[in-house]
Amino acid sequence: MYQDKLKNLLIKVQNGSLSIEDAVSHMKGLPFEDLGYAKVDLHRKIRNGFPEVVYCEGKTMEQIQGIFQVLMRTETNILGTRASREDYEGVHQIAPNAVYHEEAHCIVVNPTKNNQSEDDHYIAVVTAGTTDISIAEEAVVTAETFGCRVKRIYDVGVAGLHRLLAKLDLLQKADVVIVVAGMEGALASVVSGLVENPVLAVPTSVGYGTSFHGISALLTMLNSCASGVSVVNIDNGFGAAYSASLIMKEITGGIR
Amino acid sequence: MYQDKLKNLLIKVQNGSLSIEDAVSHMKGLPFEDLGYAKVDLHRKIRNGFPEVVYCEGKTMEQIQGIFQVLMRTETNILGTRASREDYEGVHQIAPNAVYHEEAHCIVVNPTKNNQSEDDHYIAVVTAGTTDISIAEEAVVTAETFGCRVKRIYDVGVAGLHRLLAKLDLLQKADVVIVVAGMEGALASVVSGLVENPVLAVPTSVGYGTSFHGISALLTMLNSCASGVSVVNIDNGFGAAYSASLIMKEITGGIR
Amino acid sequence: MYQDKLKNLLIKVQNGSLSIEDAVSHMKGLPFEDLGYAKVDLHRKIRNGFPEVVYCEGKTMEQIQGIFQVLMRTETNILGTRASREDYEGVHQIAPNAVYHEEAHCIVVNPTKNNQSEDDHYIAVVTAGTTDISIAEEAVVTAETFGCRVKRIYDVGVAGLHRLLAKLDLLQKADVVIVVAGMEGALASVVSGLVENPVLAVPTSVGYGTSFHGISALLTMLNSCASGVSVVNIDNGFGAAYSASLIMKEITGGIR
Amino acid sequence: MYQDKLKNLLIKVQNGSLSIEDAVSHMKGLPFEDLGYAKVDLHRKIRNGFPEVVYCEGKTMEQIQGIFQVLMRTETNILGTRASREDYEGVHQIAPNAVYHEEAHCIVVNPTKNNQSEDDHYIAVVTAGTTDISIAEEAVVTAETFGCRVKRIYDVGVAGLHRLLAKLDLLQKADVVIVVAGMEGALASVVSGLVENPVLAVPTSVGYGTSFHGISALLTMLNSCASGVSVVNIDNGFGAAYSASLIMKEITGGIR
Amino acid sequence: MYQDKLKNLLIKVQNGSLSIEDAVSHMKGLPFEDLGYAKVDLHRKIRNGFPEVVYCEGKTMEQIQGIFQVLMRTETNILGTRASREDYEGVHQIAPNAVYHEEAHCIVVNPTKNNQSEDDHYIAVVTAGTTDISIAEEAVVTAETFGCRVKRIYDVGVAGLHRLLAKLDLLQKADVVIVVAGMEGALASVVSGLVENPVLAVPTSVGYGTSFHGISALLTMLNSCASGVSVVNIDNGFGAAYSASLIMKEITGGIR
Amino acid sequence: MYQDKLKNLLIKVQNGSLSIEDAVSHMKGLPFEDLGYAKVDLHRKIRNGFPEVVYCEGKTMEQIQGIFQVLMRTETNILGTRASREDYEGVHQIAPNAVYHEEAHCIVVNPTKNNQSEDDHYIAVVTAGTTDISIAEEAVVTAETFGCRVKRIYDVGVAGLHRLLAKLDLLQKADVVIVVAGMEGALASVVSGLVENPVLAVPTSVGYGTSFHGISALLTMLNSCASGVSVVNIDNGFGAAYSASLIMKEITGGIR
Amino acid sequence: MYQDKLKNLLIKVQNGSLSIEDAVSHMKGLPFEDLGYAKVDLHRKIRNGFPEVVYCEGKTMEQIQGIFQVLMRTETNILGTRASREDYEGVHQIAPNAVYHEEAHCIVVNPTKNNQSEDDHYIAVVTAGTTDISIAEEAVVTAETFGCRVKRIYDVGVAGLHRLLAKLDLLQKADVVIVVAGMEGALASVVSGLVENPVLAVPTSVGYGTSFHGISALLTMLNSCASGVSVVNIDNGFGAAYSASLIMKEITGGIR
Amino acid sequence: MYQDKLKNLLIKVQNGSLSIEDAVSHMKGLPFEDLGYAKVDLHRKIRNGFPEVVYCEGKTMEQIQGIFQVLMRTETNILGTRASREDYEGVHQIAPNAVYHEEAHCIVVNPTKNNQSEDDHYIAVVTAGTTDISIAEEAVVTAETFGCRVKRIYDVGVAGLHRLLAKLDLLQKADVVIVVAGMEGALASVVSGLVENPVLAVPTSVGYGTSFHGISALLTMLNSCASGVSVVNIDNGFGAAYSASLIMKEITGGIR
C-alpha cells in the first residue's frame, strides 16, 4: 500500500499534476494531525481496517480529550485502554456515545452494534484464576472492538485440572487461544499441549512474593515446554488481543 | 480415587445405568459450581479431608461472598486467607459463625471446636523476630483449621542463640518445624542443624534495603547448608502449614 | 478429537467390545512408547499433521538414537533441533537419509521433497544482523520442514533504515513475519509498524555487556510500542517458526 | 538427645567420675574429628540413623580421601554427592567396596544390600523431560542409600498430559512425590493438583535463554497455584531426597 | 584554571603577600559556603559559565530556601530541578522573580531574557510518545536556562515511522539530538541511524510490566546497533541537556 | 564469659550447691524475659557494655511499649531505631525521659549526660549530599548513645572535590570514618584513598532511576578500588555506627 | 542529504530522465551491496566522512572477508573491531596493508598516514587501572582512525587521587574526555567534577564478584552525581570514541 | 601528613629553596613512577606502614614484572594477590626471594621473618566449609604479610553448631573476626551473636544454583540480624584482611 502510494505520487509528478515540493512533503509519510504533544494518526482504519487505539495511562485529561477529538472526525470506532473512570468521564463529555468497560478499564467510542460475525470462528480467552479476569476483560473488549467473536473460560488454573478438561471442547475449537495467568503461569503450557492452534500468553501481575509482579509467570510462558506459545508484556491483554485479531483477520479474510 | 471414579462410571455405562453422553460429561472432572468468575470446587474435603480455602486478596466483595456461599453448602469448615477486616465483614454477613484472626489476616467459617488431637504430635512454628509473627500466625491458623496441634516459639533469631537453645526441647520433639524468618533468614539453617525432622522454611518480607522484600531470606533458605529444609514462597505461611498438615496426616494416619 | 476418542471408547464398552480394564488404561491418554528415559509420542502427525520434533541438547547419543529409532517407525518426517554435528553423525548411522543443516544446528529425517506449496503464502524471516543468521536458519528449517514457504531478509537492522525499506514489498506481502534480532532488538518494533500482519519476535543472545545474553532484546520486544508483536524465548527460532506454522496452517486450511 | 547427653555429663560431674575441665570440653558439642581443613562429624548415624554425606565438588582429592577415611571408621554407609568419576577413583583406592553411580554423580560406600523395606511405602521421583534425569538420579540414589524405596516416572512433562495421566496410579499411591523439572517447571503444580500427599519440587538448570539456569523453574515452583509444594535449590536432587527421607522415616517409624 | 589559582597562590607566598597558613586554607579548594547540611558552591558560573543547579527532591523546604538564598548572592541564574509546586512556592517567597515550569518540574530564578542566540545552532529534543513529554521538558528548560536554543519534536515513536520521517529535516540540522523514550526505547537507535551528529538518549520510566520502570528502554539505548548514542540515567532529562549544553558550548565557542 | 559461666555452673553442681535439673535449665543460655511476641534480652550491657537496642519498624505500639518496659528495669540507656514520631509518643508515655531525634528517627531512653570522652578519639560521619543526612544522623545518634564522640562532615560529594579536601584534616584524624552516600556512592572509594584508618560505608537509597534504591551505591562500595572499605546494608546508619563503636571500644579500651 | 536525494529523484522523474519504476527502487534507500548474509553499506564515508566499521565477533571468516572485500572497493579506510588475531590473518590475505592492533583487538585497512591534525584539539582517554587498557586502546584506535588526536592517561583510579591530580592539566585541556573504568567506576564522577567539557564514560567488565562483569561500574556512571557524564555499553570503547569523534567533528568543523 | 607536606613545600617556597614551578609539580601529589600502563605508588609504606599490593589478575606478565621491579626498589615487602603459579614464576625470575602461597593464590616478596608480634592480639579467620578455605587463606596471607597474628578456625558451618561452639574460646578472644562463608552465609550472623568484637564478613562464590556465585551469602551478611557485621566483596579475602589489619594497627598502636 505504501508502495502504491509512492507510485501514485510519482505518476502525478510525471504527469505534472503534483509539484515536486508537494510530493516531497507527502512522501514523508501518511497524514497525521500534529497536536504538539501528540501526532494523531488518522488513517489506521484505512490502512489495516482496525479501530484507532488510545493508551490513556499517563496522559492528562486535556491530552486524552484532544486526541479523541481528532480521531472522532474519522468514522471509525475508537478504543481507549488503561482508562480510569475519570478518564472515561472526560471522554464522555465530548463523545456522548462512549461506553466504559469498568473491569477492563476500557473506553469504546462509536461501538459498532453488529460487528461480530455469525460464523464459527472465535478466540477463546482463558484465565487461571478469578483475579486475572480484569486483564482478560481488556483482551475481550479489544478483540470485540476489532470485530472478533470471543468465548470466556475463566478460573481454570492447573491446580484443578478437571475444571480445565471440562472446557476442552470449547478450547480445542477456538481458532486462537489467549491464556491469561499470574502466579506461576503454568496454564499456558498445559493449554498449549491440549490444543492445535496458536496460543497467545499474557502473564499477569497477580500473586505476591516471588511472583515478582508477573515476572514468574512471564518466564514460565517464555520457557513453555509445549510449542506454539508466544508471549506479550505483563498485563498486556490488549496486545494479545491485537495479535489474535490480526490472525483472525488472516484466517477469515477480513475483520470478523 | 480418580481411578475408582473412572471405573465406577464405566461399570455404569457397561451395565446401562448411565448414558454415554452423561458419562462423557461426568468424566471431564470432579463436580464444581461455575460462577462464571470462579469455578468453585465442592469436593475437596471428600477428596483429601481438608477444608476448602479461599484466597481473598484481589477479589471483589461480590466474588468473595459468592464463593463462600457456594462452599457453605458443604458441611466443611472454610479458610479465607489474606483477608482484610473489610473482607471479613462481608463474609460475616452471610456466615454468622465466621471468625476473624486479625494478626493472621484469616477468616474461618464453621470452625470445628475440638478438632485438635489429644496426642503428642505437633507442628512447631518458629519466628526469628517479632515482626515475622503476622506470617507465622497465618501458618498457625491454617494448621489448626486443618486439625493439627501447633506450638509457637517466637522471637528466637540467631543473633541471640541462647534464646533458641532455651527452646531446644520443644523444637526437637515437634514432628515438623515451620521456620518463619525475614532479613537474612539464617534461622532455618540453624534450626535444621538442631532437629531431625523436616523443616519447612517461610521467608518473610521483613527487613529493608538488601532484604529485597524477602529475597535475601529466600535465597538463604534455598542454599541452606543444613539438609532437610524445603522452602515456600515469601510470606506464604499458608503454604508451609498446608505442606506440614499433609505430612502430619501421613504420620498420624489422618487429619490431626 | 480427544472427545471423540473418549466417546468411541465408551461406545465400545457399552457394546461390550472393550473390557472396563482396557478402557481405563486406554483412557489415560494417547499411545506413546515408553523407553524409560523418554516417553516417545507416536501420533503427533495424526493429531496435528506436524512432524515430530526432538530437542537434542543435553541428551546422550544413546537417548537421541533411541528416540529417533522409535519415531522412524512412523512415516512422518522428523526434526532434530539444537543438534551438534556429532549428534547428526549418530542419527545418520540409523537414518541414512538424514540431512544436517549446519548453520541451523538441525537434523531432518525423511525430508519431504515437494512439501512446499506453489501458492503465494509465505513466512518472512528477517534478521537485524549477520550474527543473528544462525537462529534465523533454525526458524527457516523448522518452517520448511513443517511445509511452509519462507523468504529470507537478512541484515536489515535499524541502524540503516534504507536497507529495510528496500525490502518493504517482501515484508508487507508475507502472511507472518519472524523478526530475529539481538543487541537492542529494535527491529521488531519498526517492522511491526510497517506491516499489517502478525509479527513473531525472536530475541537472540547476540551482543555483549548489557545485552545480557538476549535480555535486552527480549525486553525491547515485550515492550514494543507497535502492536501486533508476540515474543518467544531467547534464541528460540524453532518456537517462532512453530507458532508461525500454526498460523499458516489456519490461513491456508492445512499444512503448507 | 542433646539434653540427655547434657544430663549424663552433669551426673558424672556430680558423682565425681568426670572432672570439670573434661566436662566443659565435652559439653561444647558432639564429638567430631578435626582434620584442620574439615571437622568430620562421626555420629550422625547415631544421632538420626542416617548415613554420612560428603559434598565432593570443590574439594581436593586429598580432602575427599581424608574425610572418607575418617568416616569409614564408623560402620555406617557413606554417600558422596556431586562426585566426578575422578573423585570416585580416588575414593575407590581407599574404599574397595565403593560404588559409582555415573548418571547421579554419586559415590556410595558400604552400600547396604537389603536396606529397602518390603512394604508399600515409596517415594515417586518424577521428571518433566529426559534431560532432567541426571538430577532425578541423584535423588534416587540418595533416597535409596537412606533406606527408602523409590519408583521412577520419567519424561512426563505437561506438554503431553496423557503421558502423565497414564502414570496417575503410581503417582497417587506414593507417600511423597519428588518432581524434577527444568525449563518452565510447570509439572510441579500439575502433579500437586493431582495427588494428596506432599510434593517436593526440584528446579533444574535444564533449558536455555530465559530459563536462566533454573530460575524460571524455581519461580514457577515457589508460586505454584496448587498447595502442598515445597521447593529446594536448583539441581538439588539430594536435598529433596533428604527431606523426603525424613518424612518417610516419620511415616514408617524408622528408616525404610 | 585550578593550576593558575595554585600558581597565583604560590607567587603570593613567594612575594610575601600571603601567609603560609592562609595559603594552605585557600589551597584546599575553591570557596563555598558551609550551611552544615549543605556546602553551597558559589563560583560555578565563574568556573564554567553555567548557572547553579539545585536538585530539590528529598530536601526539606528549609534546606531548599537556605541553598537558594546563598546562591542568589551571585548574579547568576539558578535552576531548581525535580521541584514540586510546593517547593516552588517556598522559593518564590524569597525569590520573587522565580518562574515555575509545571510540566518540567523546574524552578528558574533570574531567568535571563535574551540569552538565546540568533544563530542556527540548536538542540533537537525528541520524544517517542506523549507521556515522555514531562522528562523532555526538563531537558528543554535546562538547555534554555543554559543559553541554548531548542526545537521540540514530540510523539514520533517508531510504531509510525512516517511521523518521524516527516521531521527528518529538523532532526538532521540539529547539532545535538536528545532522544527521550520509554517502553522499548527503540527510537534512539532509529534516530541515530538517520542523523550524523551526537545523540544523547534518555530512557524514561514510562511503560508497565517488563518496562521495569525504564530498565528496558535503558538497555535498548545502551545496546544501540547504531553508533553515536550515549546514555544518561532513567528520567534524567537534566543530565542529557547538561551534556548537550557542554557540547554546544564547545561548538559555538561559548554559552549559547 | 560464656565459658566462665559454664565452669561456674559445673563447680556448683560438683560441690552440690546446684541441682542437675537447675543446671540444665540455666545452661541453655543467658537470661531473657519472654513476652511471647518477644524474648527480651536483659543483659547485653553486662555482656558487652552496650545499650539495648529496639528496632521499632513493623512492631505494634503494644509490642514496642512492652519491650521498652522490660528493658527499663535495667539501668542501661536504650536506643530505639527506625521509630516514627508516633512510636516515640507511645514510648514517652511510659518513659518520661525519652528523647526523640526527628531527623534520625531514633528514640533514646535514659540518655547519659556526660558519656562522651574528653580525649581525641572520634568517629567522622561523612555524607555525599544533603539528602543523605537522615541516615547519617541515625549513625550519629547511635554512636553517641554508645558513648563515642562524633564529628559531622556533610555534603562533600565527589562532584566538587574541593569541598572534601577542605575537610581533609578532620577526616584524616578520625579513628574510624563512616561514609554515607547514595546515587553512585563514589565518595567511599575517594575517602578511603585519602585516609589510613578503617572506613565503614553506608549506601543510601537516595537517587532515582538506576540508583535502584541504593543498589548502585552498594555495588560501588563493595567494589571499591581503594582497600579498607567494608559495607553495611542500604540505609543502615545504625549498623555502621555499631561496628564503628566496637572498633572504638577496642582502640580506647572501653566504651567512649 | 536524504531530502536532497529525494528532490533530485523527483526532478529527474519530472523531466523524464528517470522512469517511475527506477525512481521507486532508488527511493527505497541509499545503495548497498547485498551479500545475502550481509547488506554492506558503501557510502558512509560520503554521508558522514567516516570510515566504514566491521564488527567482527560472531562472524565467520568467509563473512568477514566478504564484507571487507566489498568495502575495499571504496577508497575509505576500514576499521574492524573485536577482531581476533585469526580474523586479522584472514583479512590480511585480501588486504595486504591491513594493520592489527593487538591490545585493542582492532584491524585497520588503508590506514591514512597523516590524518591527525596539527592543532590543539584532542580527546583524553583515561583509565582507572592497568587492566582497563585493552578497552581504552579500542577507543584510541577508533578515534585515531576517525582522524582525531588522542592523549592517553592510564592507571589514575581514585584510590590514589594524587596520580589523577598530577595529570590535571592534560585532562582539563582536552575537548572531550573518555573515562574507562571497571570495578566501582568512580573515576567518571571524579573526572567530571574536575573538567568543564563532556565526559563519555565506558564501564569495563574488569573486576570480580559484585562487579557483575561491569554492571557495578555502569550503574555508578549512570548515577554520577557530577553532571556532564553520558555512558555507553560495557566494554564499548568503540562507541565512546565514535561519539567523541562526532563531537570533535562538530567542534573543529570537519574530521580531525 | 598530606597537610604537613603541603606546609613544608610552602615554607620552602617562602624561603626560596624551591621554585614555584617545582612546587606546583610536587604539589600535584605524592611521587609515583609512571610506567605508561601503570602509575606505581612508591611510598605507601611511608604513608601508612603497610606493604605494597599488586592485584595480578588480568595483567600481562610484562606488566606484573614491571610493577614488581619498581616496587622492589623500596625496602618494603610486597604482596601479589590473585596470582597464578605462572604469575609467580615470572615474579620469581626477578625476585628470587619471592614465595608462593598456592592455596591463597598469593605471592609475597621480601617476606619479613619475625614480623608477628608476641602479644595476645590476633585475628580469627573462620570458614563455614572446606571449600571456603582458598579465600580464607588469601585473608591469612594478607594479614600475616601486614604483620598481624592469625588463628584459623575452619569448617564450622551452622549445620553442626557443636563444631562452632567447640571453638568459642578462640573466637571470643580474637580482636577481630573474619568470617568466610559461601552458600547461605549464615555463619556471619551466628558468630556475630557470639562475640563482642567487630566481624568482617567475606561471602564466597562457593555453592550452586541459587547461591548465584556468592550473591546469596552476600545478601545474608548485609542483612545480618546480629549487629557488628560489615561486609566486603564476594571472594575478597584480601579486603577483609586489609580492613582487619587497619583495626589491629589502631588497637595495638602500630603494625602488628
Side-chain angles (χ1 to χ4, degrees), chain B residues 132-209:
Chain B
D132 300 312
I133 290 178
S134 172
I135 300 305
E137 284 297 305
E138 188 187 79
V140 169
V141 172
T142 298
E144 288 183 352
T145 305
F146 282 38
C148 300
R149 282 215 303 159
V150 176
K151 301 204 180 176
R152 291 169 174 87
I153 308 177
Y154 287 173
D155 194 28
V156 292
V158 301
L161 267 189
H162 59 287
R163 299 178 305 182
L164 178 65
L165 295 177
K167 300 291 179 181
L168 200 56
D169 262 17
L170 216 53
L171 263 183
Q172 291 182 328
K173 288 185 182 148
D175 294 271
V176 183
V177 182
I178 294 174
V179 176
V180 181
M183 299 179 76
E184 100 281 55
L187 186 59
S189 293
V190 173
V191 165
S192 184
L194 294 171
V195 303
E196 294 164 18
N197 286 324
V199 172
L200 285 154
V202 188
T204 71
S205 53
V206 167
Y208 62 93

Side-chain angles (χ1 to χ4, degrees), chain B residues 12-30:
Chain B
K12 284 186 192 156
V13 171
Q14 205 175 39
N15 64 27
S17 69
L18 189 73
S19 76
I20 285 178
E21 254 64 38
D22 287 359
V24 168
S25 83
H26 277 89
M27 225 161 254
K28 281 175 197 157
L30 298 164

Side-chain angles (χ1 to χ4, degrees), chain E residues 2 32 41 45 58 62 69 84 112 117 122-123 125 127 130 152 155 175 196 198 200 204 216 230 239 254:
Chain E
Y2 187 77
F32 55 83
D41 211 333
K45 180 99 183 192
E62 287 67 31
Q69 208 119 40
S84 65
T112 320
S117 66
Y122 65 89
I123 299 168
V125 177
T127 79
T130 301
R152 293 169 174 88
D155 194 29
D175 294 270
E196 293 163 19
L200 285 153
T204 72
S216 173
S230 63

